[in-house]
Amino acid sequence: MSDQPEYMPVRHHEGSVAGSGERMRIAPLRWYGFSTGGGRFVVRTDPRSALRAAVAQLQAVGFALGDETFQRRLTESGSKWLAQDLRLGNIKESWKRGFISWVVEDTGLEFFRRFWRGAAPTLVVAAARETASGTELVIYPHTSWRGGSDQNDAAPLMRTTLAALADHFSNSGALISFEKLRGIKNDGSPASQAVVRAMLGWR
């Protein structure tokens, strides 16, 4: 596996979001479709480097880094995956901002940032492991059904992330394959819904 140059994250430049992590807010009249989706890379680099690049990119577009709980629980379960959870939005803030957006709708006030709605709570997992074909890197988001918004606010951030990583791995000669994921199987991967529900209580 080749040595990779230091990853330089790409920021999301669309003017429809403000802030990051729990404090991210979304401009009015924005809807990003029914499916957020993720991606799976196979690359010629070690799992730790691949995961580090993915996490740096997700942070650059506005996701907030989780603590070491997820990796510790994975290791204790015997998993060979390296993984990190990152988050967007806040359940209470999402409900509050959603209500405010409804109250000020069509008043003209909704275009001021203080009235933008809170981002739909989303947890995204980046996970990497070594395989016979190279390092497998999976990135997948899970929007919480407990949030006050059914919008896929993570969608443009995920598109920026996947495109930036694909360019990086391709330009450095490390990319073996890449596929977009419209869904993810509960196959034991840390990025699957079953694992984040069991280990992080995410719903």
Side-chain angles (χ1 to χ4, degrees):
M1 295 186 180
S2 62
D3 293 330
Q4 291 295 297
E6 182 179 355
Y7 182 70
M8 301 300 291
V10 175
R11 299 198 178 277
H12 180 68
H13 295 296
E14 186 173 329
S16 59
V17 299
S20 62
E22 291 188 349
R23 297 181 179 276
M24 180 171 282
R25 299 191 307 280
I26 308 298
L29 306 178
R30 292 289 175 175
W31 184 73
Y32 297 116
F34 292 105
S35 176
T36 303
R40 175 182 285 111
F41 297 85
V42 179
V43 293
R44 297 185 187 90
T45 188
D46 64 281
R48 197 166 299 279
S49 296
L51 180 62
R52 186 164 53 244
V55 169
Q57 180 55 53
L58 288 164
Q59 287 184 282
V61 298
F63 287 93
L65 190 68
D67 58 23
E68 298 178 356
T69 300
F70 194 30
Q71 184 60 64
R72 175 174 54 78
R73 291 177 178 173
L74 283 170
T75 302
E76 290 172 352
S77 73
S79 174
K80 301 301 183 183
W81 287 88
L82 297 177
Q84 179 65 60
D85 60 304
L86 299 96
R87 308 190 186 212
L88 187 72
N90 172 280
I91 291 172
K92 291 182 179 179
E93 183 72 9
S94 178
W95 277 107
K96 182 174 70 173
R97 287 286 175 184
F99 176 75
I100 291 174
S101 295
W102 178 75
V103 170
V104 302
E105 187 176 1
D106 297 327
T107 67
L109 294 174
E110 67 268 26
F111 293 97
F112 290 90
R113 286 194 178 187
R114 63 179 298 182
F115 296 113
W116 289 10
R117 63 177 174 80
T122 306
L123 180 147
V124 61
V125 172
R129 66 174 177 177
E130 188 173 343
T131 73
S133 302
T135 289
E136 179 183 10
L137 172 66
V138 180
I139 306 170
Y140 201 83
H142 300 276
T143 303
S144 174
W145 58 266
R146 296 182 295 174
S149 171
D150 59 357
Q151 315 265 353
N152 290 309
D153 298 327
L157 310 181
M158 288 297 300
R159 285 195 291 269
T160 297
T161 291
L162 297 176
L165 290 171
D167 286 345
H168 167 70
F169 291 131
S170 178
N171 293 339
S172 63
L175 184 64
I176 298 173
S177 66
F178 167 66
E179 63 174 315
K180 292 183 179 179
L181 300 176
R182 300 302 179 192
I184 189 166
K185 296 180 180 179
N186 285 323
D187 57 1
S189 160
S192 67
Q193 179 65 47
V195 173
V196 298
R197 184 172 59 244
M199 291 195 173
L200 296 174
W202 184 262
R203 290 172 174 79

